[in-house]
Amino acid sequence: MEKKDGAYKAHVLVLPFPLQGHINPMIQFAKRLASKGLKVTVPTTISATMSMHIGSGLVDVEPISDGQDSVSQNDNLAFLADGSGTLTKLVEKYEASSDPFCCLVYDSILPWALDVARQHGLYGVSFFTQSCAIDAIYYHANQGHLTLPLAAAAAISLPGLPELGISDMPSFISEPKSYPSILEIVLKQFSNLEKADLVLVNTFDKLEDEAVRWMEGIWPVLTIGPTLPSMYLDMLIEGDKSYSLNLSNPNSDLCKKWLDARQTASVVYVSFGSVANLEADQMEELAWGLKESNNNFLWVVRESEHSKLPSKFLEETIEKGLVVTWCPQLEVLAHQAVGCFLTHCGWNSTLEALSLGVPMVAMPQWTDQPTNAKYVEEVWGVGLRVKVGEKGVVRREEMEKCIREVMEGERGKAIRMNASKWRELAKDVLAEGGSSDKNIEEFVARATFFNASRSPPRAE
Ligand code: UDP
């Protein structure tokens, strides 16, 4: 957003790692900054940009190289490991223009970006796209406060967090041998964090009160979430209704028409996000559990997962169910026909359901999802977590039971009341003067001050 005299308060570079769950919160934060008078540029790797559906918005999107740059190659792994060369080129290109960056907000899983910021005299700000609880757990693991592998029976007590069992821990911690390279990445977030000027977290104070206080004791933390488009919460940014960058094409018209024809709170919306894959036998149990629950359902089954649907399932459920490859999730969750969200508990999906007051059936798969599911059920009281049966599979009877309980049961009533309470709190924090709004204002003030008083590049 331009100031009246045509100048901006400051030019900020916001750098997400190009996965849907990282792009969404960082783009939304970028839009908030733009609405408060900053100019914002968001670089995304060329390979990701090529497969994105870019909506119009308040921010400039700048394609950069990840070393692969073909339409089919979208793994971005080289960039994740070290994209300093590419980022340096971008920063220097703007440095030579009349519109240099003063600040870099980088995804916390790209810690090398802070070194680039430092070398070019930029204000360096780390952005955590996951919850404070998760950040705290990874921090303690990095500090050696948690000895891996964890003892199976032990209850884990960490400052600011409820007591956690091993099955509540992020999968990279409960099963450190499962994805050692990702474990290394999440621990590395803390390798140089003490040098960051600010640490932003996509959460809000009341949601994780004690964990936020604990984090504030270590780093200069500002909570700025939940990062949903403004029209779903505070309505302060006119026309901000979607995340703008979609890595897949949503079946919007079809979903809307189908939901419009369903009764209020009669639909179970099912999605496992953009990455998680279910085993074929788990898919089968889920499919029949959904059918047996006898509710309407809208299920997102990504193209790559389609072959795992049981044969005849689509024919047998044609009256009650719709299966799509991707949907406009926010529109779906905000639709009055939706009565509950059967979710993998990715952090964005969790925040979206909380912010829109939708009860959840939590079926975590991996990464931070088990911890989020624990909070959904036991800390915020906004859903039930399915129990995992033999061979790690959730049986159809368990699915059916949890769905029915949330949709029609006694616990469902209490869950719906809590869900409404959290929706109101989420709206409050982003409304003018709310905690996240104040923190975003503080960020804008700091970036503006830094821009006005820029020092020469700081040496390492
Ligand atoms: N999403 C969507 N359409 C879908 C499924 C998911 O727009 O059909 C969005 C969802 O709103 C969320 C993001 O994709 O913002 C998924 O992020 P999350 O952290 O929940 O899960 P991940 O994909 O990272 O596992």
Side-chain angles (χ1 to χ4, degrees):
M1 189 177 282
E2 229 168 323
K3 287 204 302 185
K4 280 205 185 81
D5 59 4
Y8 301 99
K9 288 182 185 171
H11 189 183
V12 177
L13 180 60
V14 174
L15 176 70
F17 181 63
L19 277 179
Q20 192 76 62
H22 289 239
I23 292 169
N24 286 0
M26 295 192 74
I27 283 270
Q28 280 313 123
F29 178 66
K31 286 190 207 163
R32 291 265 166 201
L33 300 185
S35 77
K36 289 181 187 286
L38 300 186
K39 178 177 165 76
V40 191
T41 296
V42 180
T44 63
T45 53
I46 290 170
S47 52
T49 311
M50 283 178 190
S51 58
M52 278 173 179
H53 302 269
I54 303 177
S56 63
L58 296 158
V59 300
D60 295 334
V61 174
E62 169 96 26
I64 56 171
S65 171
D66 63 358
Q68 312 287 344
D69 300 345
S70 66
V71 184
S72 57
Q73 176 55 270
N74 191 18
D75 71 5
N76 296 307
L77 286 180
F79 187 72
L80 180 59
D82 187 0
S84 318
T86 305
L87 182 62
T88 299
K89 265 193 219 152
L90 179 68
V91 170
E92 288 178 354
K93 180 177 123 186
Y94 278 82
E95 226 165 43
S97 76
S98 57
D99 210 10
F101 302 120
C102 78
C103 170
L104 171 66
V105 179
Y106 65 95
D107 193 322
S108 60
I109 61 169
L110 309 175
W112 45 260
L114 181 57
D115 299 330
V116 177
R118 284 283 164 268
Q119 284 149 14
H120 292 82
L122 306 183
Y123 200 63
V125 178
S126 185
F127 188 112
F128 280 77
T129 60
Q130 297 188 325
S131 71
C132 279
I134 292 293
D135 306 335
I137 293 169
Y138 290 150
Y139 169 78
H140 287 296
N142 188 53
Q143 294 297 102
H145 303 155
L146 289 171
T147 313
L148 304 185
L150 298 166
I156 299 139
S157 293
L158 294 171
L161 307 194
E163 199 164 86
L164 299 168
I166 194 162
S167 62
D168 302 323
M169 297 300 268
S171 64
F172 308 130
I173 299 292
S174 57
E175 298 166 58
K177 293 213 167 108
S178 58
Y179 291 94
S181 55
I182 308 188
L183 176 60
E184 198 184 319
I185 288 162
V186 297
L187 299 186
K188 242 182 158 175
Q189 297 178 103
F190 306 96
S191 59
N192 57 1
L193 196 60
E194 73 287 350
K195 291 191 214 158
D197 292 301
L198 275 178
V199 173
L200 306 175
V201 190
N202 181 20
T203 189
F204 59 96
D205 55 356
K206 292 203 172 83
L207 195 59
E208 297 194 85
D209 207 8
E210 288 181 39
V212 174
R213 300 291 150 257
W214 173 82
M215 264 184 105
E216 284 171 346
I218 305 193
W219 303 288
V221 168
L222 294 176
T223 54
I224 50 75
T227 55
L228 271 72
S230 173
M231 294 313 278
Y232 289 97
L233 289 169
D234 51 282
M235 310 233 217
L236 292 174
I237 310 177
E238 213 178 310
D240 181 28
K241 285 193 200 134
S242 77
Y243 284 120
S244 307
L245 290 177
N246 237 324
L247 292 176
S248 308
N249 208 355
N251 304 260
S252 306
D253 292 344
L254 174 63
C255 293
K256 182 171 181 335
K257 222 168 127 193
W258 189 87
L259 287 171
D260 284 348
R262 300 287 172 297
Q263 284 183 352
T264 303
S266 71
V267 175
V268 182
Y269 167 57
V270 188
S271 167
F272 290 83
S274 60
V275 186
N277 299 321
L278 300 188
E279 297 293 335
D281 51 352
Q282 182 62 87
M283 217 43 187
E284 177 154 6
E285 293 300 312
L286 170 55
W288 298 127
L290 266 178
K291 179 168 184 274
E292 289 306 313
S293 83
N294 206 28
N295 285 286
N296 296 316
F297 64 87
L298 168 54
W299 186 2
V300 177
V301 181
R302 298 192 317 273
E303 204 85 55
S304 55
E305 298 280 283
H306 250 250
S307 60
K308 298 179 195 164
L309 282 169
S311 61
K312 301 234 172 79
F313 174 73
L314 294 177
E315 288 151 63
E316 287 191 28
T317 54
I318 195 135
E319 297 286 322
K320 293 229 159 206
L322 176 66
V323 174
V324 294
T325 51
W326 194 250
C327 79
Q329 180 160 302
L330 286 164
E331 283 174 43
V332 169
L333 288 173
H335 199 288
Q336 60 175 17
V338 171
C340 94
F341 181 15
L342 199 165
T343 172
H344 69 314
C345 291
W347 185 236
N348 294 291
S349 294
T350 304
L351 278 181
E352 289 162 13
L354 270 164
S355 303
L356 292 165
V358 181
M360 286 175 253
V361 173
M363 189 169 152
Q365 299 300 303
W366 71 319
T367 172
D368 59 335
Q369 297 152 21
T371 319
N372 300 339
K374 159 90 175 178
Y375 274 72
V376 163
E377 184 175 62
E378 292 182 25
V379 179
W380 305 314
V382 291
L384 293 182
R385 178 179 181 175
V386 293
K387 293 198 176 41
V388 181
E390 273 174 35
K391 295 189 188 146
V393 175
V394 182
R395 295 291 158 201
R396 63 190 73 180
E397 297 78 13
E398 171 69 7
M399 302 270 182
E400 182 192 341
K401 191 179 90 188
C402 290
I403 293 170
R404 282 185 185 272
E405 189 61 36
V406 172
M407 292 291 275
E408 307 141 24
E410 273 308 304
R411 287 183 75 183
K413 283 187 199 151
I415 286 172
R416 272 191 292 284
M417 276 172 60
N418 284 333
S420 304
K421 182 192 88 180
W422 284 110
R423 165 150 176 78
E424 290 312 311
L425 289 171
K427 279 162 90 172
D428 289 350
V429 295
L430 283 165
E432 260 171 63
S435 58
S436 292
D437 179 62
K438 277 204 238 159
N439 286 344
I440 296 166
E441 289 286 358
E442 168 149 5
F443 174 89
V444 171
R446 287 191 190 209
T448 306
F449 177 78
F450 185 80
N451 191 42
S453 58
R454 272 188 86 171
S455 52
R458 280 174 269 179
E460 274 296 280

